[in-house]
């Protein structure tokens, strides 16, 4: 990857932090991003389906952004930008309709080279039942070198990361904000631990705040990184099930933990089981789906 193209890509993504399908609108006739800023505001407006005023602002912001030494700045803050053409960029993300144009990462980049990744997700209001279930599901996975992926939200996500760490495994957190704004505050210590010893990734530049609409977008990355998705507890209408929708679109394996039929948090997993998800109560059941892997018991 040429440094000048990387600088242009990072400068553009800094001021226009959109997925790759949006950036491709500019790259169709300008693959190296050398000339797009020469378009008139009207031409740019038409290409990106934005107002002329927004197009003018984008051109101005990009010109200013080009002066920022991104590689040095990100290196100083221990952030590694991983553009879509980087060797470490997970190929599975390119199967998405809207792949991240750039992943910003902190931690052990080597975890991206291990394709045996399982997402474990659930409700922000997860009960002790989720923790108990994960303590049966996660140990066999980490014993067999599977990485636990989750979203670092309150509740089930935080439990999944913590239990993976407690049992000596590795974990990847996918966040919905930039590194200058870790979210939620309750998980700041866990965020720091994962940054130092595991891996945190986000598609948002460091200054991005945790806006509500960032999290459905974050969910597609959790799904895209993972071979399969385990759901512990979730209500019928939840972000957890939006992650499952992404997973189903791309043929991922879906596993669901059966629960108390009187609990609203069991409604999501039970619906998934009724629709064909595999009911599980042990990590060995997950590993059975990947028989090409030598499983250590």
């Amino acid at each position: 990857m040429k440094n000048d193209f990387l600088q242009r890509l990072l400068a553009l993504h800094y001021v226009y932090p959109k997925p790759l399908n949006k950036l491709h609108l500019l790259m169709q006739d300008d693959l190296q991003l050398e000339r797009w800023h020469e378009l008139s505001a009207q031409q740019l407006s038409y290409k990106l389906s934005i107002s002329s005023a927004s197009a003018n602002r984008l051109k101005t912001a990009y010109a200013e952004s080009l002066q920022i030494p991104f590689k040095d700045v990100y290196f100083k803050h221990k952030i590694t930008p991983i553009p879509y053409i980087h060797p470490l960029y997970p190929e599975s993300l390119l199967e998405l309709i809207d792949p991240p144009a750039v992943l910003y990462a902190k931690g052990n980049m080597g975890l991206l080279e291990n394709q045996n990744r399982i997402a474990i997700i659930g409700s922000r209001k997860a009960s002790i039942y989720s923790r108990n279930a994960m303590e049966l599901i996660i140990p066999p996975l980490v014993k067999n070198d599977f990485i636990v992926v989750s979203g670092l939200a309150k509740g089930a996500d935080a439990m999944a990361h913590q239990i993976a760490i407690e049992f000596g495994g590795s974990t990847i957190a996918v966040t919905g904000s930039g590194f200058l704004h870790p979210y939620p505050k309750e998980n700041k210590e866990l965020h720091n631990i994962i940054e130092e010893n595991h891996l945190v990734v986000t598609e948002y530049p460091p200054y991005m705040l945790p806006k509500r609409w960032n999290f459905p977008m974050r969910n597609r990355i959790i799904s895209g990184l993972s071979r399969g998705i385990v759901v512990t507890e979730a209500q019928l209408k939840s972000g957890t099930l939006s992650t499952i929708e992404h997973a189903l679109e791309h043929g991922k394996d879906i596993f669901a933990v059966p629960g108390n039929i009187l609990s609203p948090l069991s409604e999501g997993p039970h619906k998934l089981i009724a629709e064909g998800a595999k009911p599980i109560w042990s990590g060995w059941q997950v590993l059975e789906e990947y028989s090409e892997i030598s499983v250590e018991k």
Side-chain angles (χ1 to χ4, degrees):
M1 191 187 328
K2 293 182 178 179
N3 287 335
D4 49 357
F5 170 68
L6 177 60
Q7 174 66 12
R8 289 192 294 270
L9 178 61
L10 293 178
L12 174 59
H13 196 255
Y14 191 77
V15 297
Y16 191 65
K18 301 292 184 182
L20 186 57
N21 60 319
K22 294 290 187 182
L23 267 58
H24 268 161
L25 296 173
L26 297 176
M27 300 171 71
Q28 288 169 341
D29 303 313
D30 182 15
L31 194 59
Q32 295 296 312
L33 293 171
E34 293 172 310
R35 301 180 307 277
W36 73 267
H37 59 287
E38 297 172 0
L39 296 172
S40 69
Q42 186 176 7
Q43 290 171 317
L44 190 56
S45 168
Y46 178 77
K47 266 189 178 290
L48 299 181
S49 299
I50 59 178
S51 69
S52 292
S54 295
N56 265 323
R57 287 195 293 271
L58 176 57
K59 289 176 55 146
T60 301
Y62 175 70
E64 295 172 355
S65 180
L66 274 176
Q67 308 308 311
I68 300 172
F70 285 103
K71 286 181 66 177
D72 294 339
V73 171
Y74 289 150
F75 180 79
K76 179 180 177 182
H77 292 280
K78 299 181 180 179
I79 298 170
T80 300
I82 304 175
Y84 68 97
I85 55 174
H86 193 286
L88 285 176
Y89 187 97
E91 288 185 14
S92 59
L93 292 182
L94 293 174
E95 297 172 8
L96 300 174
I97 296 170
D98 49 359
V102 180
L103 286 176
Y104 300 90
K106 271 191 173 187
N108 180 4
M109 306 302 152
L111 297 185
L112 292 175
E113 297 179 300
N114 181 352
Q115 296 182 21
N116 291 328
R117 299 183 289 257
I118 292 289
I120 300 182
I121 59 175
S123 174
R124 286 176 169 78
K125 299 177 182 178
S127 71
I128 190 64
Y129 182 74
S130 279
R131 172 172 280 277
N132 291 341
M134 288 182 200
E135 288 178 348
L136 296 174
I137 293 167
I138 291 176
L141 296 176
V142 302
K143 186 177 182 181
N144 285 277
D145 200 30
F146 271 74
I147 295 168
V148 172
V149 179
S150 200
L152 202 60
K154 291 186 288 187
D157 287 12
M159 291 177 188
H161 294 304
Q162 289 166 340
I163 293 169
I165 293 168
E166 287 169 11
F167 281 89
S170 298
T171 190
I172 297 175
V174 185
T175 65
S177 59
F179 280 109
L180 294 179
H181 301 282
Y183 179 86
K185 292 180 179 178
E186 296 93 323
N187 289 344
K188 185 175 180 181
E189 183 178 350
L190 178 60
H191 192 290
N192 291 340
I193 290 170
I194 298 174
E195 276 186 8
E196 287 295 322
N197 302 299
H198 302 271
L199 186 65
V200 180
V201 298
T202 178
E203 68 177 319
Y204 298 109
Y207 66 86
M208 290 284 287
L209 293 166
K211 301 294 186 181
R212 180 167 50 90
W213 51 83
N214 291 0
F215 295 94
M217 295 294 287
R218 179 273 315 265
N219 292 344
R220 82 194 195 289
I221 300 178
I222 294 174
S223 168
L225 284 174
S226 307
R227 295 186 66 164
I229 316 286
V230 175
V231 180
T232 56
E233 294 177 297
Q235 293 179 308
L236 285 178
K237 293 183 178 180
S238 66
T240 299
L241 294 194
S242 80
T243 308
I244 297 301
E245 289 174 9
H246 287 294
L248 289 172
E249 287 175 5
H250 296 92
K252 300 299 176 81
D253 301 309
I254 309 297
F255 308 94
V257 178
N260 183 341
I261 61 172
L262 301 179
S263 169
L265 291 175
S266 297
E267 292 177 356
H270 290 170
K271 179 176 185 290
L272 293 173
I273 291 169
E275 292 175 350
K278 181 174 181 175
I280 63 162
W281 46 91
S282 164
W284 300 114
Q285 294 167 290
V286 177
L287 291 168
E288 284 172 4
E289 295 299 308
Y290 307 109
S291 56
E292 77 276 13
I293 299 168
S294 177
V295 175
E296 179 186 346
K297 294 189 177 181

